[in-house]
Amino acid sequence: MRIATWNVNSLTVRLPQVLAWLQDNPMEALCLQELKQADEKVPVDAFREAGYHVAFIGQKTYNGVAIISKAEPRDIQRNIPGFDDDQQRVIAVTLDSPQGDVRIICAYCPNGQAVGSDKYEYKLNWYRAFTAFVRGEMAKYPRLAVLGDYNIAPDDRDVHDPAKWEGSVLVSEPERSAFRMLLGLGLSDAFRLFEQEPKMFSWWDYRMMGFRRNAGLRIDHILLSDPLKAVCSACIIDKVPRRNEQPSDHTPVVATLDL
DNA sequence: ATGGTGGAGGGTCCA
């Protein structure tokens, strides 16, 4: 099975690109972030016609996440239980696989805006709550994948110009430490299980021709529990959709699981 | 240091 994550920066705008990409790249699960649309606007019918279920939690203007899946989603969890938050950033589902249940968590982690800002503090608090949530999910579901826009570049290999970015939001040490806490639960960054080309990124700023200069960051990740790590045979960043007209500023990350 | 672009929504806010 293949699973993927893609921050689409408005599903209203990007729906045709998502459907076209799924046509070329069938997925057992596709995690979407930044829908930027209310629940009633989520294009459930369009996905159904393409052969997919949709579990989602929408939000007007900002945030909103969805999991597109071939199998019918079960045990849908929206948001982080016990974490009071009006921003819709998390959804989790259980999917059937030949080896048994696979738990999929889709997350749009906060951006943080700038180190020291209120939004930065919110980001670090959010990560504490999210890590506790994932710890609980791991205890319940051995086969767990956590996919999303983490808004953290884990180390300098994931940054086009580490000197320029040093200490700033998305790469600061407290953020990287929060990311390592997640890994510390027993999760592995699927992309780093394999040899990769240098300067591989998943996001490029719209401004200053970021994509043309490959001035990007790797901030979209697929984390796998050990039982899924053991069956993961590939993880790639698909840069093709970033070359579309009217692209998202992010591009999909895909993991292949031999299940 | 500033501002560059894109999305949403009708002000600016967010990324």
Side-chain angles (χ1 to χ4, degrees):
Chain A
M1 70 191 284
R2 288 198 296 171
I3 60 176
T5 181
W6 191 3
N7 178 325
V8 290
N9 186 20
S10 169
L11 185 56
T12 306
V13 173
R14 235 63 69 185
L15 177 64
Q17 296 181 40
V18 173
L19 292 172
W21 187 77
L22 278 174
Q23 190 91 336
D24 295 339
N25 304 274
M27 293 289 143
E28 290 302 314
L30 170 60
C31 297
L32 301 178
Q33 301 88 35
E34 283 204 88
L35 307 186
K36 294 187 172 181
Q37 60 190 183
D39 283 349
E40 60 270 23
K41 306 276 190 184
V42 175
V44 176
D45 292 341
F47 285 114
R48 187 189 298 120
E49 284 162 24
Y52 289 93
H53 300 270
V54 190
F56 59 91
I57 178 160
Q59 187 171 349
K60 189 177 165 183
T61 312
Y62 303 119
N63 311 308
V65 289
I67 299 175
I68 315 301
S69 64
K70 289 267 181 65
E72 186 169 358
R74 294 185 282 112
D75 302 320
I76 301 173
Q77 169 68 45
R78 294 176 179 82
N79 289 319
I80 302 170
F83 181 67
D84 185 28
D85 190 4
D86 55 10
Q87 303 188 27
Q88 314 303 314
R89 297 182 173 278
V90 175
I91 189 164
V93 303
T94 301
L95 302 176
D96 287 332
S97 90
Q99 313 295 321
D101 288 351
V102 174
R103 187 68 165 171
I104 303 284
I105 301 176
C106 170
Y108 173 47
C109 309
N111 171 281
Q113 195 171 58
V115 173
S117 68
D118 288 350
K119 291 191 179 71
Y120 184 79
E121 288 307 310
Y122 164 72
K123 179 178 191 172
L124 296 178
N125 279 328
W126 184 94
Y127 258 97
R128 280 187 274 274
F130 184 64
T131 301
F133 168 60
V134 173
R135 181 184 292 113
E137 293 287 286
M138 281 195 80
K140 281 189 270 188
Y141 305 97
R143 283 175 296 278
L144 175 71
V146 189
L147 304 86
D149 175 1
Y150 287 76
N151 269 313
I152 296 174
D155 67 61
D156 283 350
R157 291 175 296 174
D158 306 312
V159 181
H160 70 96
D161 185 343
K164 182 179 164 191
W165 278 82
E166 188 181 1
S168 62
V169 74
L170 310 184
V171 311
S172 75
E173 185 48 38
E175 292 168 271
R176 286 176 166 176
S177 173
F179 188 79
R180 287 195 298 271
M181 292 287 281
L182 267 179
L183 298 181
L185 299 177
L187 294 165
S188 299
D189 179 350
F191 189 76
R192 292 298 178 205
L193 297 176
F194 306 95
E195 194 166 324
Q196 304 285 359
E197 298 283 316
K199 304 279 182 191
M200 290 294 290
F201 308 122
S202 65
W203 168 86
W204 300 262
D205 202 312
Y206 285 125
R207 297 167 287 190
M208 300 176 74
M209 296 183 293
F211 186 60
R212 267 167 55 180
R213 296 187 296 123
N214 197 30
L217 301 176
R218 192 177 69 91
I219 57 177
D220 301 270
H221 309 299
I222 299 177
L223 305 189
L224 301 174
S225 65
D226 283 344
L228 290 186
K229 175 187 179 184
V231 295
C232 182
S233 57
C235 182
I236 61 104
I237 294 173
D238 182 0
K239 285 165 75 166
V240 172
R242 191 61 175 80
R243 301 189 186 101
N244 289 343
E245 286 195 38
Q246 262 196 301
S248 169
D249 44 353
H250 297 249
T251 213
V253 182
V254 184
T256 305
L257 305 175
D258 297 329
L259 287 174

